[in-house]
C-alpha cells in the first residue's frame, strides 16, 4: 500500500485525436499548474491515430514543464483502446494513480494539488472525481447554457457513477482486479461509466472533489438542443442496457420509462405553447433520457464518436 510520507508517482493521462488546438490549450494550462509536494508526475499523452501527429506539439508545449512527458501512439482506433493504453503505461511506471483528463479541458492552477490532497486523505484507495465547468462558445443560447453545466456537489460526497473527464483512479484496485475498459464498443462511449461502476461494485469508493476544477470548452457544433437531446438519449440507452452495475434490465422498466417519456414530451409541447422555453427544453431532455432508458432494454446502440468534434 502507498504511504503518504513517501513520494508517490502520479501519471496524468490524456487521450487525443485530431484536436491540436485544444491539446495546445491543455498543455499550456498544465505548464502553469502548481505541483504537489513529494509527488513525481509524468504526463502521458496517447494519440489515437494511425500516424503520429501530436508528438512535436507535446514536446514544444511542455518545454520547461516541472514534470516528465511521455508520448504513446495507439493505432487501434477507439476511445477504450486509448484509455487502456494509458492504464498499461501507468501500471508499467508503477504509479500510485492515473489522473484522466480530456484533451478539450484546461486545468486550474491548484487542480492537481486538490486531487492529490483528496487522494492522500483516502490513502490512495478511492476514485476522486473533480469538478468540470463548461465554457460555452460565443453566441450560445443563454437558455441552453445551464443544461451543459454539471450538478454542483460537495467535496467528499459519494458518487454512484463518474467518467474519465477529470478523475483520479487509484491503481491498486486495477492491479488487484485486472480492471480494463471494454474495447467491444470503440465509438459508442459510456465504457468509462461502466468501468467506474464496476470498480465501485468491487469496493472502491467514488468521491467528489469540488476544489479540483477543469474548464471544458464546448465546441460550437455541440452547443444546441439537438446535441443535448442525443446525449440524454445515449445516457438513457446505457442505463437501460443492463451494462451498469445495479441497473438491471426488466420488461417493466420498458413500459414505465416509455410512459414517462411520453409524459415529458407532452409537457414540453405545453411549455412551448406557453412560451416557456427553458421548461420546454428541460421536459424534452427528460423525455429523451426516458425514451433511451426504455429502448436500452433492446440493446440498441449508437456511435457518437465516429467523428471528432472540436479542434
Amino acid at each position: 500500500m502507498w504511504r503518504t510520507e513517501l513520494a508517490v508517482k502520479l501519471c496524468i493521462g490524456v487521450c487525443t485525436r485530431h484536436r491540436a488546438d485544444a491539446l495546445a490549450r491543455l498543455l499550456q494550462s498544465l505548464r502553469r499548474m502548481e505541483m504537489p509536494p513529494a509527488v513525481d508526475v509524468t504526463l502521458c499523452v496517447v494519440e489515437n491515430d494511425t500516424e503520429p501527429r501530436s508528438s512535436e506539439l507535446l514536446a514544444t508545449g511542455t518545454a520547461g514543464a516541472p514534470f516528465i512527458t511521455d508520448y504513446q501512439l495507439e493505432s487501434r482506433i477507439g476511445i477504450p483502446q486509448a484509455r487502456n493504453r494509458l492504464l498499461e503505461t501507468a501500471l508499467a511506471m508503477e504509479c500510485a494513480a492515473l489522473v484522466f483528463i480530456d484533451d478539450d479541458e484546461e486545468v486550474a492552477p491548484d487542480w492537481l494539488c486538490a486531487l492529490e490532497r483528496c487522494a492522500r486523505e483516502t490513502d490512495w484507495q478511492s476514485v476522486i472525481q473533480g469538478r468540470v465547468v463548461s465554457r460555452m462558445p460565443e453566441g450560445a443560447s443563454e437558455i441552453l447554457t445551464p443544461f451543459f453545466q454539471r450538478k454542483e456537489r460537495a467535496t467528499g460526497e459519494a458518487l454512484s457513477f463518474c467518467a474519465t473527464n477529470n478523475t483520479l483512479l487509484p491503481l491498486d484496485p486495477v492491479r488487484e482486479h485486472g480492471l480494463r475498459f471494454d474495447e467491444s464498443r470503440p465509438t459508442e462511449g459510456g465504457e468509462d461509466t461502466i468501468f467506474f461502476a464496476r470498480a465501485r461494485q468491487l469496493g472502491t469508493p467514488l468521491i467528489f472533489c469540488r476544489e479540483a476544477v477543469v474548464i471544458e470548452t464546448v465546441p460550437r457544433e455541440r452547443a444546441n438542443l439537438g446535441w443535448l437531446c442525443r446525449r440524454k438519449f445515449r445516457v438513457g440507452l446505457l442505463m437501460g442496457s443492463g451494462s451498469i452495475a445495479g441497473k438491471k434490465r426488466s420488461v417493466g422498466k420498458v413500459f414505465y420509462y416509455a410512459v414517462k417519456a411520453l409524459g415529458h414530451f407532452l409537457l414540453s409541447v405545453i411549455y412551448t405553447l406557453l412560451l416557456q422555453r427553458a421548461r420546454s427544453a428541460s421536459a424534452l431532455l427528460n423525455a429523451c433520457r426516458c425514451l433511451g432508458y426504455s429502448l436500452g432494454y433492446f440493446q440498441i446502440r449508437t456511435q457518437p464518436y465516429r467523428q471528432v468534434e472540436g479542434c
Side-chain angles (χ1 to χ4, degrees):
M1 182 180 296
W2 296 93
R3 299 299 180 185
T4 56
E5 65 268 16
L6 301 177
V8 296
K9 293 182 180 180
L10 287 186
C11 178
I12 300 174
V14 181
C15 299
T16 190
R17 176 172 168 79
H18 298 178
R19 279 179 167 175
D21 292 345
L23 180 60
R25 292 193 296 269
L26 169 60
L27 296 177
Q28 186 179 35
S29 71
L30 289 171
R31 287 180 60 183
R32 295 194 300 260
M33 72 178 177
E34 301 167 6
M35 299 294 290
V39 172
D40 295 328
V41 177
T42 298
L43 170 66
C44 180
V45 175
V46 171
E47 184 161 26
N48 195 209
D49 207 336
T50 55
E51 59 181 282
R53 303 174 192 270
S54 301
S55 56
E56 184 175 344
L57 172 60
L58 176 63
T60 57
T62 58
F67 46 78
I68 301 170
T69 60
D70 180 74
Y71 173 83
Q72 304 275 337
L73 179 67
E74 176 53 68
S75 58
R76 298 176 302 150
I77 304 302
I79 298 175
Q81 283 77 0
R83 287 171 176 158
N84 279 334
R85 184 66 173 269
L86 282 177
L87 265 185
E88 298 294 346
T89 300
L91 289 169
M93 292 178 179
E94 299 184 345
C95 293
L98 169 59
V99 183
F100 287 99
I101 184 169
D102 287 351
D103 62 353
D104 60 352
E105 296 175 334
E106 298 165 55
V107 306
D110 60 348
W111 163 74
L112 189 60
C113 290
L115 280 178
E116 186 270 343
R117 184 168 54 251
C118 283
R120 180 162 31 86
E121 290 172 354
T122 63
D123 203 21
W124 302 93
Q125 299 301 308
S126 297
V127 170
I128 311 296
Q129 170 83 76
R131 183 158 60 108
V132 179
V133 178
S134 294
R135 179 170 58 206
M136 302 299 292
E138 185 177 353
S141 168
E142 293 183 2
I143 291 175
L144 295 181
T145 295
F147 298 110
F148 284 89
Q149 301 299 340
R150 275 72 169 180
K151 180 180 178 181
E152 289 286 341
R153 300 180 184 276
T155 296
E157 181 177 344
L159 305 174
S160 298
F161 311 107
C162 67
T164 54
N165 56 345
N166 187 15
T167 303
L168 183 148
L169 169 66
L171 292 180
D172 277 353
V174 176
R175 295 184 181 95
E176 180 180 355
H177 301 292
L179 293 172
R180 295 297 185 275
F181 294 94
D182 180 8
E183 297 185 358
S184 67
R185 49 181 77 200
T187 58
E188 293 179 27
E191 76 284 339
D192 52 344
T193 303
I194 296 171
F195 177 95
F196 287 115
R198 176 62 177 158
R200 178 175 177 268
Q201 186 183 42
L202 292 170
T204 301
L206 313 183
I207 296 175
F208 191 75
C209 178
R210 193 176 188 278
E211 293 78 19
V213 180
V214 302
I215 306 297
E216 172 198 52
T217 298
V218 178
R220 186 171 300 278
E221 55 265 39
R222 290 186 180 182
N224 57 76
L225 183 58
W227 186 87
L228 284 170
C229 287
R230 291 191 294 274
R231 182 175 71 172
K232 288 291 186 181
F233 180 69
R234 293 197 306 269
V235 170
L237 285 178
L238 181 63
M239 294 299 179
S241 68
S243 301
I244 303 292
K247 296 289 182 180
K248 303 302 182 183
R249 295 190 300 161
S250 72
V251 175
K253 288 183 178 180
V254 173
F255 292 101
Y256 173 75
Y257 282 101
V259 171
K260 287 193 69 174
L262 178 60
H264 284 301
F265 179 74
L266 292 176
L267 273 177
S268 178
V269 172
I270 292 171
Y271 286 133
T272 298
L273 295 174
L274 294 175
L275 303 180
Q276 298 185 31
R277 294 175 59 193
R279 288 187 173 183
S280 175
S282 178
L284 181 59
L285 294 176
N286 284 330
C288 291
R289 186 178 188 277
C290 289
L291 179 61
Y293 209 124
S294 177
L295 295 179
Y297 177 86
F298 303 102
Q299 300 295 305
I300 294 174
R301 295 184 174 186
T302 61
Q303 299 186 62
Y305 298 109
R306 292 183 65 180
Q307 294 182 335
V308 178
E309 295 176 333
C311 60

